[in-house]
Amino acid sequence: MNRYIYDNSNLIESYSGISSTLTFSFAKRVYSGVYKEFCFALGVPEKKVASVPKLFDNLVVHIGGRMYYHIKNWHRLLSFLPLYSSTRQFLEQMIGVEKSYKQKVNAQPLLHFLYSLCCITLSFIFMPLLIRAFTKSFDKKLLLLKSENLSLLSDSALCKLYLNAEKNMTKDFRIPIVNDFAVMVSVGLLSRLAQSKGDSNLIALLKSSQLIKSVEPSKKLMEMLEVITANPKLKEIFLTDSIENLHKKIYVENFDFAFKKLVVSYIKDFGSKVPGELKLESKTFEQNESFVLTILVNALKVPSKLSSDKAQERESGFISLPFSFLKGWVSTSIARREHARFRRAQIFAFAREVFLEMAQRLKNKHLIDNQEDIFYLKVEELLMLLAGKKKDFLKRVIGKRKRFFKLFKGINPPRRIETKLTSDDLNKRLAKRKKLDFSLTVNKKEILGKLVGKIASTGDTMRLNGKALVLKEFDYNASFRDKILVTSQTDPGWTIIFPLLRGVIVERGGLLSHAAVVAREYGLPCVVSVSGATDVIKNGDTIEVDLKSGRVYINET
């Protein structure tokens, strides 16, 4: 019987915890569309892609409200391209799986092999031009989309706008996905070359030589903190007033108009860059301006002991021509990836606006009780409802899914599931509270307190000491300054608080995960893949991190 492998070691970085029905259905559609376009761009025959629709429609699955990669489908997709035996290893390194898998593949026809290899090579060579064209086209299309007054569109026009945007954007995003493939290949080759030369300092090799887009929000936050600190009256109201009164003085009474302009500008530029930015149910800074003020207030309450400009990683020991080329390729590819992630968040933010407009219309028609109910519906169901079809099922389905998600909050599925059951069957059993045949891979020693992970960044030290801030999910009210953040994962929305931290410990991810990339940019000590960290370490514990071995120790007091 066929066994399924589901893994979210890397995916949980973008979709932490429970993701709503709407988020999953939207993400599923996007993955399906963009990876078909990716295959076309790299020379996979259209007939081949059309022959396996279920593969593309099931690259991601939803189990217990959590999103997982369908690992076998990813390997099948990768096997459509040349040199699968090598690229599969690069894929596993990139997504950080703990257990390897190999797809049985048939030899490709020589002409298909050569054509695809040629497409890949040309894409890599002309990537600077392709990314430039993508950026120009994307920005133009997004500007046109955002100029639409959604409230004035008819139901059919709103649905048409959404479907056209989804089609155009998934097609355009094939270029960033090809660049992601370039990141995967270049890092894999660089890692092999470094190992062959006896140089294990891969961390230094992965640091981008360019300013990555995802650190811009945190730099702007630090600028705002500097302005507040330099203005005694402004600092006083931040430290003494409630968030509600502070919001009123800044936004309504214009207590400091120059500072208000800074905050308004920040929200305009980075309003969608929030923790959980790819989850449609996440509140943005545009929806709640007080989130930014809350972070600033809590940062001011703790004296600064840090500088955002820290020592950089030690350089690699060898500078051969192949090494220099690969290092440069890795650096620019990672920087491009982070720029594309910024635009990805923008299109998800636009989708959020469209869906909330749909929700308001359904509420006005008394089809749902409140806007949040929309997150328990699939995209296809929303489009059907706006078209005036099958309205009778709505509240029953929403009520049923609400009960399921309430139940799902009480479970904690493993990062990797190997089972004979499909994702739908797993969810049915979870709903009935039946025992599941989860195959959970966990290092028991780590769970008992001997925590160890992969060193993603050393910063300027080989040993890190400090107080732990343990967060299962982002908390705007937390005091981040000078703490060692211990969390399950981070996404680009967390970047805003990285300059405030002393170090980062993450349960998931690898050397190319968000936490690792941003930590290296700031010279911030970071250890990833520390299983059980948020369960073993308690908030406020004094911890010590050995940045030679990746071990984390809890100091007894």
Side-chain angles (χ1 to χ4, degrees), residues 13 179 183 206-220 270 273 330-343 491-492 495-496 498 511-523:
E13 178 181 295
N179 183 71
V183 172
L206 294 179
K207 187 182 186 304
S208 174
S209 59
Q210 307 175 37
L211 175 66
I212 61 173
K213 188 75 175 179
S214 57
V215 304
E216 288 185 15
S218 53
K219 289 185 176 294
K220 292 291 184 182
F270 308 113
K273 298 295 293 179
V330 166
S331 176
T332 53
S333 296
I334 289 176
R336 289 175 189 142
R337 184 183 72 160
E338 295 303 311
H339 276 67
R341 283 184 168 187
F342 182 81
R343 285 172 170 78
D491 64 35
T495 305
I496 188 173
F498 267 60
L511 297 182
L512 292 175
S513 63
H514 167 263
V517 171
V518 176
R520 286 193 292 270
E521 293 306 305
Y522 279 113

Side-chain angles (χ1 to χ4, degrees), residues 468-487:
L469 171 63
V470 182
L471 295 178
K472 294 280 190 180
E473 57 186 30
F474 193 88
D475 182 1
Y476 287 100
N477 294 306
S479 178
F480 293 94
R481 193 186 286 275
D482 205 36
K483 301 290 177 56
I484 300 175
L485 175 64
V486 181
T487 187

Side-chain angles (χ1 to χ4, degrees), residues 93-111:
Q93 179 185 30
M94 187 171 184
I95 65 178
V97 295
E98 295 180 339
K99 191 175 178 182
S100 184
Y101 171 78
K102 186 175 181 179
Q103 173 77 27
K104 291 182 180 179
V105 297
N106 297 320
Q108 292 178 324
L110 182 59
L111 285 178

Side-chain angles (χ1 to χ4, degrees), residues 449 456 463 537 543:
R463 213 160 189 86
I537 301 171
I543 59 177

Side-chain angles (χ1 to χ4, degrees), residues 53-117:
K54 290 186 178 181
L55 184 156
F56 292 95
D57 291 341
N58 290 281
L59 290 172
V60 291
V61 297
H62 212 201
I63 300 173
R66 281 79 172 179
M67 286 178 60
Y68 283 79
Y69 286 134
H70 191 313
I71 292 297
K72 289 187 177 181
N73 280 348
W74 283 96
H75 279 267
R76 286 179 67 198
L77 187 158
L78 200 59
S79 71
F80 297 164
L81 302 174
L83 307 176
Y84 167 71
S85 60
S86 291
T87 55
R88 75 172 182 84
Q89 297 174 27
F90 300 162
L91 172 71
E92 291 172 345
Q93 179 185 30
M94 187 171 184
I95 65 178
V97 295
E98 295 180 339
K99 191 175 178 182
S100 184
Y101 171 78
K102 186 175 181 179
Q103 173 77 27
K104 291 182 180 179
V105 297
N106 297 320
Q108 292 178 324
L110 182 59
L111 285 178
H112 288 172
F113 176 90
L114 294 175
Y115 178 66
S116 184
L117 191 62

